[in-house]
Amino acid sequence: SLMGRGARVREQGSDSIVDTRREAQPPYLYPDYVSTRLRAPKKPLIILPRTLSDTTGPAFGRGPVGELDNDLTHQHEGEPLGERIIVTGRVLDGDGRPVRNSLIEIWQANSAGRYIHKNDQHPAPLDPNFSGAGRCLTDDEGRYRFVTIKPGAYPWKNHTNAWRPAHIHLSLFGEAFRSRLITQMYFPGDPLFEHDPIFRSVRDPQARRRMISTFDLETTRPEWALGYRFDIVLEGRNATPMENHR
């Protein structure tokens, strides 16, 4: 189970008791996150048994992934605007073992908080030198590394004066296509956390912290870019909260 064993804890600043077995992952239906009211399943899910093909394939080779696919600052003729950052970490399974040669894809808004997407029309500038997407494969230690621009916060129409905290989306494949998971990485100290229903849909405070990166001086390059570390655990009691796994 992705959630693993849990415990009952009291949420900080609240009188409610949180069951970590259920609250470490976001629910399909979280009314404050308005779109879940329409897309949450209305009937019980059917759990399909795993087969050999689910756990052994397909395998992702190195061919389709280019050498600079993980550097979002060198995908165009000029450099993008904004704060350059390095994001790195390890992908681990539930037993703490590295997940090797795993495909990781990221996408994000630019430094002004705008995506290159026809549906994103809020009044913030696009950056012709930033597409906001990259990918890489983990190495033998399960490590990955991206160079990108720190994304900006942006408004969304979930509720009055709603703003999303700065974040990067990550899509991960384990050892097979069936194990694809999607999560979001946030930045430490963001004042929008307490106002964001997507972040708060994960009720377990410890699980929330697993969605927040940490500043890493060792990764930081002098006079060039700040470094952030974000380790990802695919399953077990310390699993990273995922959008599409419950």
Side-chain angles (χ1 to χ4, degrees), residues 164-184:
R164 294 269 9 249
H167 62 278
I168 296 175
H169 300 266
L170 297 98
S171 166
L172 302 104
F173 288 90
E175 296 179 350
F177 183 81
R178 175 170 174 153
S179 63
R180 186 191 186 212
L181 295 171
I182 299 172
T183 190
Q184 297 183 22

Side-chain angles (χ1 to χ4, degrees), residues 79-85 111-112 127 148-150:
E79 288 202 43
L81 298 174
E83 178 187 346
R84 188 188 297 111
I85 61 173
S111 61
D127 188 338
T148 185
I149 296 297
K150 188 174 182 180

Side-chain angles (χ1 to χ4, degrees), residues 112-126 154-157:
R114 188 168 174 186
Y115 291 94
I116 298 181
H117 193 282
K118 63 180 181 180
N119 291 336
D120 189 349
Q121 297 296 324
H122 85 277
L126 291 172
Y154 59 82
W156 61 315
K157 298 179 180 180

Side-chain angles (χ1 to χ4, degrees), residues 7-139:
R8 294 176 64 81
V9 299
R10 189 176 300 276
E11 185 176 8
Q12 184 175 5
S14 172
D15 292 331
S16 62
I17 299 296
V18 175
D19 184 349
T20 61
R21 292 171 298 181
R22 296 181 56 85
E23 309 301 341
Q25 297 294 328
Y28 291 120
L29 176 61
Y30 189 74
D32 286 350
Y33 182 10
V34 174
S35 65
T36 66
R37 302 176 192 174
L38 299 176
R39 68 187 188 203
K42 299 296 190 296
K43 297 181 179 180
L45 300 182
I46 299 174
I47 306 300
L48 299 177
R50 290 193 178 190
T51 65
L52 184 61
S53 62
D54 289 328
T55 56
T56 60
F60 297 95
R62 294 184 178 275
V65 180
E67 291 184 5
L68 294 178
D69 284 1
N70 68 328
D71 188 343
L72 283 66
T73 67
H74 283 88
Q75 296 177 344
H76 299 274
E77 291 185 4
E79 288 202 43
L81 298 174
E83 178 187 346
R84 188 188 297 111
I85 61 173
I86 302 167
V87 177
T88 187
R90 300 180 71 200
V91 181
L92 306 170
D93 66 16
D95 296 319
R97 297 172 298 194
V99 179
R100 303 179 178 90
N101 296 318
S102 178
L103 178 67
I104 302 182
E105 300 168 321
I106 68 170
W107 63 97
Q108 63 170 93
N110 65 18
S111 61
R114 188 168 174 186
Y115 291 94
I116 298 181
H117 193 282
K118 63 180 181 180
N119 291 336
D120 189 349
Q121 297 296 324
H122 85 277
L126 291 172
D127 188 338
N129 293 311
F130 190 75
S131 299
R135 59 182 181 169
C136 72
L137 292 169
T138 58
D139 64 15

